[in-house]
Amino acid sequence: MAAYPFSDGTPLASQWPIPPQHFFDYELHMPNGSAGTYFYHSHVGFQAVSCSGPLIVEDKVPPYEVDGDLVVHIQELFNETDTTIEQGLQATPFVWSGETNGFIINGKTISNFGVTDQSSSQLAIIDIEPNSLYRVRFIGGHSLSYSALGVEDHTDLQVIEADGGYTKPHSTTFLQIGSGQRFSALLKSNTCNELKQSGKLDYYIQIESRERPSNTTNYAILRYNNSCMIPSDPSKSASNTTYPNRKPIALPPTVDGFLDYVLQPLYPNDFPSVSQVTRRVVLNVQQILDKYIIWKDSSVTWTADTNDSIPHTTPSQPYLVSLYKNQTAYTPSYSAAVKNGGLDPSTNTFPAKVGEVLEIVLQNIGAHAIDNETGGGLDVHPWHAHGEHYYDIGGGPGAFDPKVAEERLKGTEPVLRDTTMLFRYNATTQPNEKQGWRAWRLRVQQPGVWMIHCHTLQHMIMGMQTVWVFGDAEQVLAVPKADIEGYLTYGGDVYGNSSHAPDVVHFSELEGGI
């Protein structure tokens, strides 16, 4: 989703966090073609575990005509406070957050923990009509787990959207979805005859964790209204206060490369060929195990917590603010970055010129342990880009090979995405060995400071974030400093509170604005 320079929400990259008891008015630019499924969420620490919600951009004339529009918003439950989890992940010795204690769908789940709002301690019920066509928007507001999801006795899900971009219909019996990902699927509800044959009006939506040490399963209920006059049978009704006695759906294990190479754009999207690529940047993704544990991306590990004593890159203020205050010191060197695999070593940022076509490769590497005994671990990562959608050109096992990648692309039509999965293909490998890659092509068009990061919250806190500067200083700092002074200090006048309204800056109206 396109955002204005100080409205991207990434603290210590593009803007200050919103102070306690303050609010901030976000201004988003929604050009033609941006209609789709998004979600808002905090980018501070572990807050996004609960601070998130659907954000739907509607079409004037949708390309798919449906009878109804449904949302399945997925979150996770942890039995610790945000503060405890953050402190543990940044502690020496390292303290893991623990695995998820369950999924939450549309704000509801069944939990053994103390519940403040009893109305939320139940399974979500999603009401539908018989013999109707629905667009179901699945939103991955996960914190940690990759997941598989299916709908009982509704085995033809036609994927028509991925991450805010329409696709040609693609049939699948189930979905896999990671943190940050969104899919829309067409679901045809059962006819009255089908409902009478089954004798029931309730069907489970089942979600299970994947790629974690243990499997967690949760449910929601798809409930038909009884316009078909189905005789009541309590034994076939689903309770929203208990789980089913057995799993109604046999979901498969992880399908590596799920939906790779099969989704096609609904409209032409100007996919750049390999001959148009100006340069390739490889991010080597690796866990480093010491008394602490961090994630590095090509030697960079970036965190927003300035109190963190672990060797992360921890800027004292948002990078865009630093650029405005001291352009000379913070403008990254493009030439130095080109010589250094894309990374400017003086600022630890990745600069790019507007008009470039980058090929960005995410390379999974076996963990490196300081003791040389416990390394080799791998994980799956939902990688997300701010500022620009990219063309996802797939992935595969082992080490990235450009010839193999290009061969896999033959006959395909890559779609624009903003969050795709870096798979591991094996749970472990040899320390420092390459195992699993994902590649993108990105047209650099939007000047600004943007983050590219793993969307797993724990991994972000552990440093799995990179900062990219698109455009030269003149392009990035196009809005005059005098117009944006309120953004340059923590709690500036662009943040409102109970005593004063924010001094809102409308970037589209400023001379030189985007």
Side-chain angles (χ1 to χ4, degrees):
M1 177 180 291
Y4 289 105
F6 292 96
S7 295
D8 190 48
T10 50
L12 300 191
S14 64
Q15 70 177 92
W16 289 105
I18 303 170
Q21 299 183 347
H22 285 66
F23 62 92
F24 179 82
D25 289 343
Y26 281 94
E27 184 172 351
L28 304 175
H29 175 52
M30 307 310 303
N32 290 335
S34 59
T37 307
Y38 305 88
F39 75 117
Y40 64 86
H41 54 281
S42 171
H43 231 282
V44 175
F46 205 67
Q47 291 179 6
V49 67
S50 57
C51 184
S52 74
L55 178 60
I56 309 302
V57 180
E58 297 182 342
D59 302 86
K60 290 183 178 179
V61 181
Y64 295 99
E65 187 174 344
V66 296
D67 299 306
D69 198 311
L70 308 173
V71 170
V72 176
H73 178 222
I74 305 162
Q75 296 169 283
E76 287 181 279
L77 179 66
F78 289 83
N79 191 26
E80 296 287 355
T81 66
D82 296 358
T83 300
T84 299
I85 289 175
E86 290 173 43
Q87 290 176 344
L89 295 174
Q90 296 173 336
T92 304
F94 176 82
V95 180
W96 178 233
S97 65
E99 296 298 312
T100 180
N101 295 112
F103 291 101
I104 302 170
I105 295 180
N106 292 354
K108 295 185 177 183
T109 193
I110 297 174
S111 168
N112 294 324
F113 306 126
V115 176
T116 302
D117 180 4
Q118 291 296 330
S119 67
S120 68
S121 184
Q122 54 188 264
L123 302 182
I125 297 175
I126 299 173
D127 296 309
I128 62 171
E129 302 278 344
N131 198 31
S132 300
L133 184 65
Y134 288 91
R135 175 180 183 168
V136 187
R137 302 174 188 261
F138 298 93
I139 299 174
H142 310 54
S143 309
L144 173 66
S145 304
Y146 194 43
S147 62
L149 181 147
V151 184
E152 181 186 12
D153 293 347
H154 296 72
T155 56
D156 185 16
L157 299 174
Q158 297 278 335
V159 176
I160 59 165
E161 180 215 352
D163 299 343
Y166 281 112
T167 68
K168 295 177 182 178
H170 176 77
S171 180
T172 180
T173 59
F174 73 105
L175 286 175
Q176 288 180 181
I177 185 167
S179 176
Q181 294 188 306
R182 292 93 57 211
F183 295 103
S184 284
L186 298 178
L187 180 146
K188 184 70 169 67
S189 64
N190 291 338
T191 64
C192 286
N193 283 338
E194 290 170 329
L195 293 174
K196 289 175 181 177
Q197 288 175 8
S198 70
K200 62 181 185 179
L201 298 170
D202 292 346
Y203 298 83
Y204 284 104
I205 298 172
Q206 180 176 317
I207 183 170
E208 296 179 3
S209 59
R210 292 289 182 266
E211 303 296 320
R212 302 307 310 164
S214 58
N215 181 294
T216 299
T217 305
N218 285 90
Y219 302 91
I221 298 171
L222 196 67
R223 175 164 290 171
Y224 283 79
N225 77 18
N226 200 7
S227 58
C228 299
M229 304 300 291
I230 307 296
S232 176
D233 184 349
S235 68
K236 293 187 176 182
S237 296
S239 169
N240 68 336
T241 58
T242 59
Y243 289 142
N245 294 326
R246 60 177 181 81
K247 292 183 179 181
I249 307 172
L251 291 170
T254 300
V255 176
D256 292 323
F258 181 71
L259 296 184
D260 283 0
Y261 305 106
V262 296
L263 293 183
Q264 300 178 45
L266 183 60
Y267 308 114
N269 64 8
D270 195 25
F271 171 65
S273 66
V274 66
S275 64
Q276 294 175 276
V277 173
T278 54
R279 60 191 173 101
R280 179 180 296 124
V281 178
V282 178
L283 294 180
N284 291 312
V285 178
Q286 185 178 35
Q287 190 179 71
I288 307 298
L289 297 94
D290 200 334
K291 293 179 181 179
Y292 53 78
I293 300 178
I294 59 177
W295 284 97
K296 283 192 172 183
D297 309 305
S298 294
S299 78
V300 174
T301 177
W302 185 288
T303 181
D305 187 351
T306 56
N307 296 317
D308 183 4
S309 61
I310 295 174
H312 294 298
T313 297
T314 53
S316 59
Q317 59 187 354
Y319 197 84
L320 182 57
V321 171
S322 297
L323 273 171
Y324 265 99
K325 290 183 176 180
N326 191 336
Q327 176 181 332
T328 302
Y330 287 94
T331 299
S333 170
Y334 179 84
S335 59
V338 170
K339 295 176 183 177
N340 192 44
L343 175 70
D344 171 39
S346 65
T347 62
N348 277 344
T349 64
F350 294 81
K353 294 181 179 181
V354 172
E356 278 197 279
V357 176
L358 300 179
E359 188 165 276
I360 299 174
V361 178
L362 306 163
Q363 177 69 67
N364 235 340
I365 295 180
H368 174 72
I370 302 303
D371 62 13
N372 293 319
E373 294 180 1
T374 55
L378 296 163
D379 210 336
V380 296
H381 305 284
W383 272 87
H384 173 70
H386 289 248
E388 307 268 14
H389 277 64
Y390 53 78
Y391 302 88
D392 185 86
I393 61 172
F400 174 76
D401 182 327
K403 292 182 179 179
V404 171
E406 195 62 24
E407 185 66 27
R408 288 181 173 223
L409 275 179
K410 286 184 178 179
T412 69
E413 298 179 66
V415 297
L416 285 162
R417 301 289 302 273
D418 65 24
T419 311
T420 49
M421 298 300 301
L422 174 60
F423 291 95
R424 58 182 178 175
Y425 298 91
N426 291 300
T428 60
T429 187
Q430 293 299 310
N432 305 311
E433 183 176 30
K434 297 177 179 179
Q435 178 53 272
W437 57 271
R438 165 73 49 189
W440 308 338
R441 287 186 190 153
L442 187 149
R443 292 186 182 276
V444 180
Q445 299 170 319
Q446 183 88 354
V449 176
W450 311 108
M451 293 202 82
I452 294 178
H453 62 89
C454 175
H455 215 281
T456 298
L457 300 188
Q458 286 87 337
H459 295 175
M460 291 173 64
I461 294 169
M462 295 162 68
M464 206 171 190
Q465 307 180 89
T466 60
V467 174
W468 297 65
V469 181
F470 289 174
D472 58 27
E474 182 178 354
Q475 293 167 317
V476 174
L477 308 178
V479 180
K481 184 178 178 181
D483 291 323
I484 47 84
E485 287 287 351
Y487 293 94
L488 301 184
T489 57
Y490 178 67
D493 60 15
V494 296
Y495 298 89
N497 60 25
S498 59
S499 65
H500 70 273
D503 185 8
V504 177
V505 177
H506 299 288
F507 286 94
S508 60
E509 299 173 3
L510 293 176
E511 183 179 356
I514 297 174

